[in-house]
Amino acid sequence: KLVTDGNKTALFVDLAAKPDPGTAKAIAYDFVTKLGWNQAQYSCLVSLWTRESQWKVNAYNSSSGAYGIPQALPGIKMATVGADWQTNPETQIRWGVNYIVRRYVTACGALAHSDEFRWY
C-alpha cells in the first residue's frame, strides 16, 4: 500500500495484519489505535520495529548498544516509562511510540527517516 505522511516521501508498506492477542504487536496495536493512528501508521511501526529488533524485548545491538523492541540508545532511557524496561514489552512500546511522536510525529515519518538514513 502506498502511504504518505504529510510532506514526507511516499512509502510502500505492506499492511500489517491484526496481531495475535498477547503478543508485543498486540500491545502496540492497542496503544497506537488509542492514540488515533490508523492501520497504515501501525503498519509503518511494524515494518520499522521488525527491521530494528524483530520485536524482541531483549534485542541488543552490540555495535551501538541500542536495546529492546524500539532499539533505544542507550536502553536505560526507557526507565523513564518503567523500571521493568529491560523485560517488559509494554514499557518498551510506550517509550518507543512516545519517542516517535516527539521526534517524527508518526510511525511513517520515523520509517521514512529510517529508510533514508538507516536509523531513526
Side-chain angles (χ1 to χ4, degrees), residues 27 31 70 72 75-86 88-99 102:
I27 293 167
F31 188 66
I76 198 161
K77 285 181 178 182
M78 295 184 284
T80 59
V81 176
D84 58 355
W85 65 270
Q86 291 176 298
N88 188 336
E90 183 175 355
T91 298
Q92 292 184 5
I93 289 162
R94 286 183 182 278
W95 182 89
V97 170
N98 288 331
Y99 168 79
R102 282 190 317 272

Side-chain angles (χ1 to χ4, degrees), residues 5 11 37 40-42 44-45 48 100 104-112:
D5 189 44
L11 304 167
W37 285 5
Q41 291 301 323
Y42 171 71
C44 285
L45 184 68
L48 178 66
I100 288 169
Y104 303 101
V105 182
T106 65
C108 291
L111 181 61

Side-chain angles (χ1 to χ4, degrees), residues 2-103:
L2 180 63
V3 176
T4 57
D5 189 44
N7 6 352
K8 302 278 189 241
T9 307
L11 304 167
F12 285 99
V13 178
D14 290 331
L15 286 182
K18 189 166 181 184
D20 293 330
T23 63
K25 288 179 184 177
I27 293 167
Y29 182 84
D30 290 344
F31 188 66
V32 301
T33 54
K34 286 176 185 167
L35 287 178
W37 285 5
N38 61 21
Q39 184 69 18
Q41 291 301 323
Y42 171 71
S43 299
C44 285
L45 184 68
V46 168
S47 180
L48 178 66
W49 286 353
T50 297
R51 176 191 302 160
E52 291 290 325
S53 66
Q54 293 295 308
W55 289 83
K56 293 179 184 171
V57 72
N58 61 349
Y60 177 72
N61 182 321
S62 59
S63 298
S64 69
Y67 188 83
I69 294 168
Q71 288 292 279
L73 180 61
I76 198 161
K77 285 181 178 182
M78 295 184 284
T80 59
V81 176
D84 58 355
W85 65 270
Q86 291 176 298
T87 58
N88 188 336
E90 183 175 355
T91 298
Q92 292 184 5
I93 289 162
R94 286 183 182 278
W95 182 89
V97 170
N98 288 331
Y99 168 79
I100 288 169
V101 168
R102 282 190 317 272
R103 185 156 180 141

